Amino acid sequence: MSVKINAELQKILSDEGTIKILSTLTPEGEVHAAVKQSIFADADGNIVYLEFFEKSQTNINMVNSIWFDKNISITAVTADKKSWFIKGKPIRTRVFGKEYEAFYRKAEERNPDNDLVAVYYIQPLEIYEQTYQVQQAQHKEKFPLYVHLDKYAE
């Protein structure tokens, strides 16, 4: 079941100061993680990933994910060290046409050396903040008795 990207996360994903790590599976089932700053959210609440290298491991894995219905994940870390996890499903790609052409022109304007090879649309399936303090509070609430005894010793 898909979820919507809220305005806060749209802003986070569009911020150039946010580090975005895209994790995919190789055809052999090995995890491949790479920093990909060309990830952002569109107005429809999908995640868009622009791929610039035809033979990159990420591109190979994204094609494989579409063909064989595999999920991917994105970790986004903001400049103030907040961390978000997004599980998603690549639902389509564009390698030509009007959508592709629009992204191609924008990418070329940003950097004339860019050579856009694919535009991937990723449907978000699960989103949660995984910043340490948020996880700690959730864990304490969910498992109040899971505490080392030395915390109570005086």
Side-chain angles (χ1 to χ4, degrees):
M1 185 170 133
S2 67
V3 296
K4 287 287 184 191
I5 300 278
N6 64 26
E8 177 188 11
L9 197 51
Q10 278 187 336
K11 185 177 177 183
I12 288 168
L13 289 174
S14 68
D15 184 348
E16 290 187 18
T18 299
I19 303 298
K20 293 158 264 193
I21 303 164
L22 177 59
S23 298
T24 57
L25 291 174
T26 67
E28 297 77 27
E30 297 172 2
V31 175
H32 172 76
V35 173
K36 298 292 181 176
Q37 292 303 96
S38 59
I39 294 173
F40 59 93
D42 69 11
D44 295 329
N46 286 315
I47 296 169
V48 178
Y49 163 57
L50 306 179
E51 174 59 67
F52 295 101
F53 302 102
E54 186 72 44
K55 294 296 185 182
S56 74
Q57 187 64 56
T58 302
N59 195 41
I60 292 166
N61 297 349
M62 290 294 285
V63 169
N64 191 63
S65 293
I66 289 175
W67 285 356
F68 298 105
D69 200 33
K70 301 290 183 192
N71 293 336
I72 57 88
S73 69
I74 298 167
T75 301
V77 182
T78 63
D80 62 352
K81 305 294 187 252
K82 289 185 179 177
S83 177
W84 293 86
F85 172 84
I86 304 165
K87 180 171 88 173
K89 180 174 294 302
I91 53 173
R92 63 187 167 109
T93 186
R94 294 292 179 257
V95 294
F96 65 91
K98 290 181 183 178
E99 288 176 72
Y100 170 83
E101 189 71 24
F103 284 114
Y104 183 89
R105 294 290 167 229
K106 286 181 187 175
E108 198 174 51
E109 286 171 13
R110 271 188 94 127
N111 180 351
D113 290 334
N114 279 339
D115 188 17
L116 183 65
V117 298
V119 178
Y120 288 98
Y121 293 87
I122 301 164
Q123 179 183 51
L125 301 174
E126 182 180 355
I127 301 169
Y128 59 85
E129 186 176 354
Q130 59 182 12
T131 304
Y132 178 80
Q133 293 82 355
V134 171
Q135 281 188 319
Q136 185 180 44
Q138 290 170 342
H139 192 269
K140 282 182 180 181
E141 183 178 321
K142 190 172 182 178
F143 306 107
L145 301 177
Y146 283 47
V147 179
H148 284 129
L149 293 176
D150 65 334
K151 301 287 184 196
Y152 297 111
E154 292 202 20

